[in-house]
Amino acid sequence: MTWRPQYRSSKFRHVFGKPATKESCFDGVPITRSVQDNHFCAVNPRFLAVITECAGGGAFLVLSIHHTGKVDPHHPKVSGHRGNVLDIKWNPFNDYCIASCSEDTTVKVWEIPPHGVFKNLTVPWKELQGHSRRVGLIEWHPTANNVLFSTAYDYQVMIWNLDCPDQVIKNPVRTISHHTDVVLSMSFNTDGSLLATTCKDKRIRLMEPRTGNLLQDANCKTHKAHKVLILGNLKMLLTTGSSRWNARQMALWDQENLSVPLLQEDVDGVSGLLFPFYDPDTSMLYIAGKGDGNIRYYEITQEKPFVHYLTEYRSLMPQKGMGVMPKRGLDVSSCEVFRFYKLVTIKSLIEPLSMIVPRRSESYQEDIYPMTAGNKPAMSADEWLSGINKDPVLMSLKPGSRVEESYPELSMGKGLGSSLDTRRSQSRPGLLQLSYIQDQLGIKSDKEDSSHTESEDNRSWTLVSNGQDPALCSPPKTENELRMKFHKQQEEIRRLRELLNQRDVRIKQLELEIKNIRNSQPQTF
């Protein structure tokens, strides 16, 4: 019997990385020189935040995701920390809220203005004081609103409820004290009922975050774990680290039994950290090396051998950190399934890198875009603290599907809160309402068209005015006001272009359907 190679069928076998052009990169960014093993970058569909190098305290930049090109060296910063900023994370349910932690032992939560930062921000919305040493890592709860986790060099993991009315919060709702050394990484499962951590004491811990009960505690002598990920609902954990001989290594663990890893695989012999990223919608795992330009990607299955190597993206520009765009911010028209933002320190550059599934069709590919976690919380902080667990609220990425806008439920004062809510009631960039497309193509009846006219006019008015009352729009008086007006106009132009592109795609689809119907009809002679 002749030997035949076994080929595994996968729709993601030919995924490739497509770096952005020079014009679509962020150039001239003073990226931090910190040696902390964090990502240093956070991204959402509206803003990109990056920790910068500065003197006299810590700061980070917040840039509009579409404001690419050369960054002004005097661009205003978020600079309220007295020590270097070590980590930043966007609130998954509010695109205008970001948390940061620093060497000054505090965690601060900031409200970003709807049109970006045009002057230095120094006063946070919330300040969390509880750690006794520098805070190195923060994470938001994946389903509960306004629940934040922080860990510091005092070996404590603290849970904060931001719905507290106080501006300065000194008492966390819970403190987890199982660790004997610095916590290196934290990861939640899908519904946030489990928390996995890696520690400098070489141990992997799995616990209930609400109660702090320790469920699993493992120490593998042949694998020193640095980063950990809970792989969605697969009931498996993945860690990256180093082997006994200092080779970069990844290991796969059974969530129910952490005594022995299911799989250990050496990646390469290069020194440097490995950043793992997992996409539960496609079951794809991305391994990016700190200090090199390579990104390897795999597909995870529940059957042996569990990890299937796909291919590797290679680049000569080494990355210091990585930001990841949420799924709701991807370009589904080009079959983009993942997007990185690489921090290239040697060139002061932030380079977007899109992972694309090659498809010939221009229509929406439902098989690679299942329902995904959206920007709406499944429950409040009080509900989660009372003992409730809920799966994330799912949304569709299909153009035309209704998407909830991520606006805050914050008690910041009635005047400011109401104005921010008005501005945030706009549709998310890149998605169009299905009723609007049908109205433009004449699909609905005249009666339905007339019933939708007023609502569509109101929405179009909101888009044109960018969330402001046109009666209050006065000519810009300062350079910052002029810059703000310019960015608002660019945003409006971009939205109109997206509208035209969506209409062109829909017209092509209708023409193709008409052609197919004509071809299917029998020809008469």
Side-chain angles (χ1 to χ4, degrees):
M1 184 176 180
T2 59
W3 177 84
R4 295 181 179 179
Q6 293 183 355
Y7 293 101
R8 180 176 172 274
S9 176
S10 172
K11 66 184 75 173
F12 304 108
R13 177 183 296 176
H14 303 292
V15 170
F16 66 95
K18 182 180 180 181
T21 60
K22 184 70 173 180
E23 294 76 16
S24 300
C25 297
F26 299 85
D27 196 8
V29 180
I31 302 172
T32 179
R33 299 190 184 96
S34 173
V35 296
Q36 191 83 6
D37 292 329
N38 289 334
H39 295 156
F40 302 122
C41 181
V43 190
N44 67 28
R46 293 186 180 276
F47 298 109
L48 178 143
V50 57
I51 302 175
T52 59
E53 187 70 22
C54 64
F60 60 94
L61 273 176
V62 175
L63 305 171
S64 172
I65 201 68
H66 304 290
H67 184 52
T68 56
K70 188 72 173 179
V71 177
D72 185 358
H74 302 291
H75 191 284
K77 298 181 176 65
V78 181
S79 54
H81 284 285
R82 298 186 302 273
N84 292 331
V85 178
L86 300 181
D87 195 17
I88 50 177
K89 294 286 170 58
W90 288 104
N91 187 335
F93 311 119
N94 181 4
D95 288 344
Y96 303 91
C97 178
I98 187 171
S100 61
C101 63
S102 169
E103 292 181 352
D104 61 8
T105 73
T106 65
V107 178
K108 297 186 179 183
V109 185
W110 309 85
E111 267 294 308
I112 304 302
H115 301 295
V117 178
F118 293 100
K119 64 179 181 179
N120 289 338
L121 289 183
T122 57
V123 179
W125 171 56
K126 297 284 186 182
E127 182 172 342
L128 314 179
Q129 300 176 359
H131 290 285
S132 59
R133 300 184 64 185
R134 58 179 175 173
V135 187
L137 193 63
I138 50 178
E139 287 288 346
W140 293 91
H141 192 276
T143 59
N145 193 28
N146 287 337
V147 176
L148 184 64
F149 287 67
S150 65
T151 179
Y153 279 66
D154 55 8
Y155 313 155
Q156 309 292 321
V157 177
M158 294 186 178
I159 308 174
W160 306 89
N161 180 6
L162 302 186
D163 287 338
C164 176
D166 300 331
Q167 195 270 335
V168 178
I169 306 176
K170 296 185 178 181
N171 297 317
V173 294
R174 184 168 299 279
T175 301
I176 301 175
S177 305
H178 296 305
H179 303 88
T180 60
D181 211 326
V182 179
V183 178
L184 300 177
S185 68
M186 297 187 293
S187 176
F188 290 95
N189 65 340
T190 303
D191 62 358
S193 60
L194 293 176
L195 173 66
T197 63
T198 54
C199 185
K200 208 171 181 180
D201 61 7
K202 303 180 182 179
R203 306 189 73 87
I204 305 169
R205 294 174 174 87
L206 185 66
M207 64 193 76
E208 295 179 350
R210 186 189 299 107
T211 61
N213 294 335
L214 186 63
L215 304 178
Q216 297 278 337
D217 188 353
N219 183 13
C220 184
K221 296 182 180 180
T222 60
H223 177 74
K224 181 181 179 182
H226 294 288
K227 298 292 182 182
V228 63
L229 282 180
I230 299 181
L231 302 182
N233 291 323
L234 297 180
K235 293 187 177 182
M236 290 190 290
L237 275 70
L238 182 124
T239 58
T240 60
S242 57
S243 66
R244 186 179 298 175
W245 296 275
N246 287 331
R248 295 201 292 191
Q249 189 182 66
M250 67 177 179
L252 197 66
W253 308 77
D254 184 0
Q255 182 176 297
E256 307 296 334
N257 182 13
L258 297 182
S259 58
V260 179
L262 298 174
L263 173 71
Q264 277 184 264
E265 181 178 331
D266 289 345
V267 177
D268 54 33
V270 181
S271 62
L273 195 69
L274 290 176
F275 293 122
F277 303 93
Y278 180 66
D279 182 5
D281 298 335
T282 60
S283 298
M284 287 187 64
L285 172 70
Y286 302 86
I287 303 291
K290 181 180 180 180
D292 59 70
N294 302 336
I295 300 177
R296 300 169 178 85
Y297 24 108
Y298 307 79
E299 192 170 1
I300 308 296
T301 60
Q302 292 182 307
E303 300 81 20
K304 290 184 178 181
F306 304 112
V307 179
H308 304 271
Y309 175 77
L310 294 176
T311 185
E312 178 181 6
Y313 170 80
R314 295 190 177 186
S315 173
L316 297 177
M317 293 192 297
Q319 60 248 3
K320 181 183 179 68
M322 306 284 285
V324 175
M325 173 66 75
K327 295 298 287 287
R328 55 192 174 90
L330 300 181
D331 182 10
V332 297
S333 62
S334 62
C335 297
E336 183 184 29
V337 294
F338 215 76
R339 188 191 304 168
F340 294 100
Y341 285 80
K342 297 176 52 177
L343 305 187
V344 184
T345 310
I346 59 176
K347 292 190 175 183
S348 299
L349 185 73
I350 302 178
E351 179 189 45
L353 174 64
S354 299
M355 313 308 295
I356 296 177
V357 179
R359 295 284 176 92
R360 292 184 178 179
S361 175
E362 296 181 355
S363 60
Y364 177 73
Q365 306 293 315
E366 294 187 3
D367 59 326
I368 61 176
Y369 295 116
M371 297 288 287
T372 187
N375 54 4
K376 185 178 180 181
M379 55 186 163
S380 65
D382 293 334
E383 289 177 331
W384 181 77
L385 292 171
S386 65
I388 301 175
N389 290 322
K390 290 184 180 180
D391 289 330
V393 179
L394 302 181
M395 60 173 279
S396 173
L397 299 180
K398 186 174 182 178
S401 60
R402 184 174 180 82
V403 180
E404 294 286 344
E405 175 61 28
S406 63
Y407 53 87
E409 298 177 357
L410 308 177
S411 54
M412 298 179 57
K414 295 182 179 179
L416 180 58
S418 60
S419 64
L420 290 177
D421 289 344
T422 302
R423 294 173 184 176
R424 290 163 194 177
S425 62
Q426 304 170 15
S427 298
R428 183 173 68 81
L431 289 180
L432 301 175
Q433 301 294 336
L434 179 59
S435 59
Y436 183 82
I437 298 176
Q438 292 174 337
D439 178 56
Q440 295 297 316
L441 294 175
I443 295 177
K444 290 185 175 289
S445 62
D446 294 338
K447 183 177 180 179
E448 292 175 333
D449 286 340
S450 61
S451 64
H452 283 281
T453 301
E454 183 178 356
S455 61
E456 293 300 331
D457 289 343
N458 291 336
R459 182 174 55 203
S460 302
W461 185 268
T462 305
L463 289 175
V464 172
S465 60
N466 279 301
Q468 291 185 348
D469 187 358
L472 301 178
C473 294
S474 58
K477 299 179 181 179
T478 63
E479 183 179 356
N480 284 338
E481 291 182 0
L482 179 63
R483 187 184 303 168
M484 182 182 298
K485 296 286 185 182
F486 172 76
H487 291 321
K488 287 159 56 180
Q489 188 181 47
Q490 294 298 314
E491 180 78 7
E492 180 183 344
I493 293 173
R494 185 187 61 79
R495 289 175 179 171
L496 292 175
R497 285 176 177 172
E498 289 180 351
L499 173 61
L500 291 175
N501 290 335
Q502 294 290 343
R503 292 180 62 186
D504 291 341
V505 171
R506 181 58 179 161
I507 290 173
K508 290 181 180 179
Q509 292 177 351
L510 293 175
E511 290 177 348
L512 183 60
E513 291 179 4
I514 294 174
K515 184 177 180 181
N516 292 335
I517 293 175
R518 289 177 178 175
N519 293 336
S520 62
Q521 292 178 351
Q523 297 181 356
T524 57
F525 297 96

